[in-house]
Amino acid sequence: MPRPHLRRRLAAGVLALATTAATLTLAPTAAEAVVLPNNFKSVGYMPSWSGNVNSIQYGKLTHINYAFVLPNGDGSLRPVENPGKLSSLVSLGHANNVKVSIAVGGWNDGDDSAFEALAANSSTRTAFVNNLIAFVNQYNLDGVDMDWEYPDPGASANNYTLLMQQLGSALHSRGKLLTAAVVSEGYYVDGVPTAVFGSVDWLNIMAYDGGSPHANYDWSIASVNRWKSRGLPAAKAVLGVPFYSRPGYYTYSALVGMDPANANRDCTTVGGAQQCYNGVPTVKRKTQWAMANAGGMMNWELSQDTTGSTSLVSATLL
C-alpha cells in the first residue's frame, strides 16, 4: 500500500459495470450482485482505522479487502484491529454479494522482517498458512490478500514463492481466493517471481506513488503492462488507483471538499503547494483501458472517496 507512513492511512474500491451485449449500464441496486463483463473485478480496500462500513457503496464493488492483519515471525498472527468492524464488513458485504478478504501485511513502515522470518522455513510457513485458514474460517471470509509488499529478489523471493504456493493450495482447496498486492515498478518487481502467477487469482498492482505526477495515466498503464510482459495473464492484472494526493496525502474527499471543481482535475494547489491525484476523468480513462486490457480495477482506499456525482467509485461506472 502507499508508502511513507501510510500503513495507517491509505485502501481502495472501484467500478461497477453491467453489460448486455456491448452495452454497459449503470450500477445495480445495493442488494444485487455487480455484473461485470469477462469476470472484471472491482476491488476496494477498507482500513481498520478509518471509514465506516455502513458508508461503503457495496453495489459498485465485487471484492473488499480489510486492511490489515500483521504476522509474527513464528507464523502466528497479531490480533486484528477492530474485529467488530471486520465482522460487520463481512455481513454487509455478503448481504450485497460482495466477497471480503483479509489483507495481510501492508506498508508497516517498511518493516517486513516478520514475513522474512516466517517464510524462511517450512514449519513457520505451515504455521502461518494454518493460522490464516483459521482466521478466514473464524470471520467467514472469502480469501486472503497477501500484502508482503517488498520481498527482495533472490532467497527472499524464493521463500515468497514457496509461501504463496502453499497458501494458494490451502485456500483454493477450500474454495477461497488468494490475491496479492504488488509494487508497480523497480527492484522489488523481481521479488515476486513469475512462478507465483499460477498460485494467485489475481494481483492488485499498486500503480501509485510513482510517476510525475504520481499515478498519471501513461505511467500507470506502463506499470500494468510491465507485469503482463513478465507473463501475468491480463485477466489476473488488476490496476490500482489512488484516492489521495502526493506529496501531501490529502484524501480525494478532502480535496473535493475544498473545491468541487477538483473532482475533474488531477492537480490542485493547497496551501501554496501542488497536490496531484486522480480525478474523475482520469479514473474513467484508466477504467476504459482496463476493461480492454486488464482484469479489473482496485483503489486505495474506500474511506477517502466522496459520494454522489464526484465519487471515484462511481466514476468507474462506464
Side-chain angles (χ1 to χ4, degrees):
M1 292 300 107
R3 293 171 216 164
H5 60 78
L6 286 187
R7 190 220 151 220
R8 291 266 182 221
R9 273 194 188 165
L10 308 171
V14 209
L15 303 194
L17 325 178
T19 183
T20 304
T23 303
L24 298 177
T25 58
L26 285 185
T29 60
E32 294 176 337
V34 179
V35 179
L36 302 175
N38 301 318
N39 201 30
F40 199 76
K41 312 296 188 303
S42 170
V43 184
Y45 283 84
M46 170 51 64
S48 64
W49 59 89
S50 178
N52 187 322
V53 296
N54 294 308
S55 301
I56 295 173
Q57 300 180 78
Y58 292 95
K60 300 167 184 177
L61 298 160
T62 60
H63 300 80
I64 297 173
N65 297 329
Y66 186 78
F68 297 101
V69 69
L70 291 170
N72 295 308
D74 63 358
S76 62
L77 300 176
R78 301 179 198 177
V80 67
E81 290 188 350
N82 294 322
K85 182 177 181 179
L86 174 57
S87 295
S88 296
L89 177 65
V90 172
S91 296
L92 289 167
H94 289 174
N96 288 277
N97 297 294
V98 177
K99 293 184 182 298
V100 181
S101 291
I102 184 66
V104 186
W107 165 242
N108 196 33
D109 297 323
D111 180 7
D112 65 353
S113 58
F115 280 119
E116 293 281 5
L118 73 86
N121 70 77
S122 60
S123 62
T124 47
R125 283 196 299 269
T126 297
F128 178 67
V129 169
N130 290 341
N131 285 321
L132 270 180
I133 294 298
F135 187 93
V136 166
N137 290 337
Q138 177 183 354
Y139 287 96
N140 192 27
L141 293 162
D142 299 290
V144 170
D145 182 63
M146 180 61 73
D147 281 33
W148 179 5
E149 295 178 8
Y150 304 113
D152 294 283
S156 176
N158 293 336
N159 293 337
Y160 177 84
T161 299
L162 293 171
L163 179 64
M164 292 295 283
Q165 289 173 339
Q166 186 174 351
L167 183 57
S169 294
L171 288 166
H172 292 149
S173 68
R174 293 167 171 80
K176 305 295 185 178
L177 296 166
L178 176 61
T179 61
V182 297
V183 297
S184 53
E185 63 178 355
Y187 172 79
Y188 291 104
V189 167
D190 290 326
V192 179
T194 58
V196 170
F197 296 172
S199 297
V200 297
D201 292 277
W202 67 84
L203 295 180
N204 293 308
I205 300 168
M206 298 184 290
Y208 34 74
D209 295 332
S212 183
H214 103 105
N216 68 77
Y217 177 85
D218 289 339
W219 178 88
S220 299
I221 300 314
S223 296
V224 178
N225 283 334
R226 187 175 298 108
W227 281 93
K228 290 170 63 179
S229 72
R230 299 183 68 217
L232 182 68
K236 291 188 176 185
V238 173
L239 169 59
V241 295
F243 279 11
Y244 61 94
S245 74
R246 293 290 302 264
Y249 298 107
Y250 288 90
T251 67
Y252 171 75
S253 60
L255 293 169
V256 173
M258 295 173 192
D259 182 356
N262 284 339
N264 291 310
R265 299 170 176 148
D266 283 347
C267 292
T268 191
T269 300
V270 180
Q274 187 180 61
Q275 299 295 328
C276 293
Y277 53 100
N278 283 178
V280 169
T282 295
V283 170
K284 282 182 175 290
R285 188 180 175 203
K286 287 183 177 181
T287 302
Q288 290 170 336
W289 181 88
M291 289 292 299
N293 299 284
M297 293 286 286
M298 170 275 280
N299 66 39
W300 180 269
E301 42 85 351
L302 290 169
S303 76
Q304 299 175 322
D305 195 15
T306 62
T307 56
S309 62
T310 60
S311 166
L312 293 181
V313 171
S314 297
T316 57
L317 302 178
L318 301 178

